[in-house]
Amino acid sequence: MTERQSKLIKLVNIYQKIEVSRLAELLDVSQVTIRKDLDHLEDEGLLTREHGYALIKNANDINTRLTINYDTKLKVATKAAEMVSNGETVMLESGSTCALLAEQLAKLKKDVTIITNSAYIAIRIRELPIRKVILLGGEYQKEYQGMVGPLVRKCAKEFFVDKFFVGTDGFIPEAGFTCDDLMRVETMKYMENSANRTIILADSSKFSQKGVVVQSTFAEIDTLCTDSGVSQEVVDILTRNNIHVEIAE
């Protein structure tokens, strides 16, 4: 993705629906260039078009979530990829930053196997040189394009990996990391039980948000991977709770 396309995505997220002509004006390029960018981004599933407009999809759809703070999420995902060795098998949950991590693993590492409950991840990296993708079965959750429910537990318990990477919807200093979906939280727990280490991927905006369900207590987390926008106060809280913090610059 080019820098201009990244800026375009940010503008569409801000306005939610914006004219092609306005995008061309704000980005100081021709409408022809904007239309080419929109064609590419629509093919990637990152936005949609309608009669001379660009607009976001359902706010809970994973494609929409992926566009929010895209650049920052990519930095976090790239940093997280550094934690994975060539030839390793890792487990990824169905969050948007995890989808970017899967791409980075395919591009930067050799012979990595990914175990995931995310059909979205499996489809997104299908043309990339990943060694193997193992998709856990379960009840299909349309917005996240991932599998949830007790069938995931039955599948996940057949595996054991060193690292489980998972996203988050928010943070409560007194409790830990939170999520907006109970079924996703239950599924995260199933997958977490099949890993030696749980690594949270969270861009710094998540620390000003609160989900409705406690996803992970401090005792359940080994590492947080975030960006340089995280406050020192949050870093201190995590460090006091024996959580290692990796910061993507």
Side-chain angles (χ1 to χ4, degrees):
M1 181 182 297
T2 67
E3 182 179 354
R4 183 183 62 249
Q5 290 169 348
S6 180
K7 291 179 180 178
L8 190 159
I9 285 175
K10 289 181 181 178
L11 288 169
V12 175
N13 273 293
I14 290 170
Y15 288 93
Q16 298 193 13
K17 183 176 182 179
I18 182 172
E19 301 94 335
V20 171
S21 58
R22 179 61 173 157
L23 284 169
E25 178 184 343
L26 291 171
L27 295 172
D28 194 26
V29 294
S30 70
Q31 292 190 37
V32 172
T33 297
I34 291 296
R35 289 191 184 97
K36 289 180 179 178
D37 284 344
L38 291 175
D39 285 342
H40 173 74
L41 295 172
E42 187 173 37
D43 287 343
E44 290 291 313
L46 299 178
L47 48 74
T48 189
R49 298 170 66 182
E50 178 184 289
H51 306 302
Y53 289 85
L55 59 156
I56 63 169
K57 300 181 178 181
N58 181 337
N60 290 320
D61 183 271
I62 189 168
N63 286 303
T64 301
R65 285 176 170 257
L66 189 64
T67 66
I68 300 171
N69 299 322
Y70 178 90
D71 287 350
T72 304
K73 289 179 177 179
L74 182 57
K75 289 179 182 178
V76 172
T78 304
K79 183 69 174 180
E82 296 177 4
M83 304 179 199
V84 179
S85 302
N86 291 330
E88 188 172 356
T89 297
V90 296
M91 193 169 283
L92 308 183
E93 202 266 334
S94 59
S96 57
T97 309
C98 287
L100 294 177
L101 171 58
E103 288 186 340
Q104 293 306 299
L105 292 176
K107 294 174 181 177
L108 302 175
K109 301 294 179 175
K110 294 181 179 179
D111 298 324
V112 171
T113 295
I114 292 174
I115 301 170
T116 183
N117 66 321
S118 173
Y120 179 81
I121 287 176
I123 292 170
R124 189 174 179 87
I125 64 173
R126 67 189 183 278
E127 302 295 336
L128 297 179
I130 202 77
R131 179 175 180 269
K132 184 185 295 184
V133 176
I134 298 172
L135 187 60
L136 303 176
E139 179 184 340
Y140 182 66
Q141 195 175 54
K142 182 178 179 180
E143 290 178 336
Y144 286 91
Q145 298 185 42
M147 310 301 175
V148 296
L151 284 176
V152 177
R153 176 178 56 191
K154 291 185 177 182
C155 294
K157 72 179 184 179
E158 300 299 323
F159 301 95
F160 190 80
V161 299
D162 182 55
K163 302 177 187 74
F164 169 47
F165 294 92
V166 59
T168 190
D169 291 333
F171 178 75
I172 299 175
E174 301 80 15
F177 291 89
T178 61
C179 181
D180 292 328
D181 188 299
L182 179 59
M183 290 193 72
R184 277 191 74 200
V185 169
E186 291 177 342
T187 301
M188 291 172 190
K189 298 294 186 186
Y190 303 150
M191 298 173 74
E192 181 181 294
N193 289 337
S194 294
N196 185 43
R197 301 166 57 195
T198 295
I199 301 167
I200 298 279
L201 306 183
D203 67 87
S204 54
S205 70
K206 298 296 177 66
F207 295 101
S208 60
Q209 303 173 26
K210 294 182 179 180
V212 296
V213 184
V214 175
Q215 166 189 331
S216 300
T217 64
F218 295 128
E220 295 171 318
I221 305 164
D222 178 85
T223 302
L224 165 76
C225 188
T226 187
D227 62 90
S228 57
V230 66
S231 71
Q232 188 58 49
E233 180 183 3
V234 168
V235 172
D236 290 343
I237 291 170
L238 297 173
T239 302
R240 285 198 301 270
N241 284 278
N242 300 312
I243 296 170
H244 179 66
V245 180
E246 291 279 352
I247 297 179
E249 301 295 339

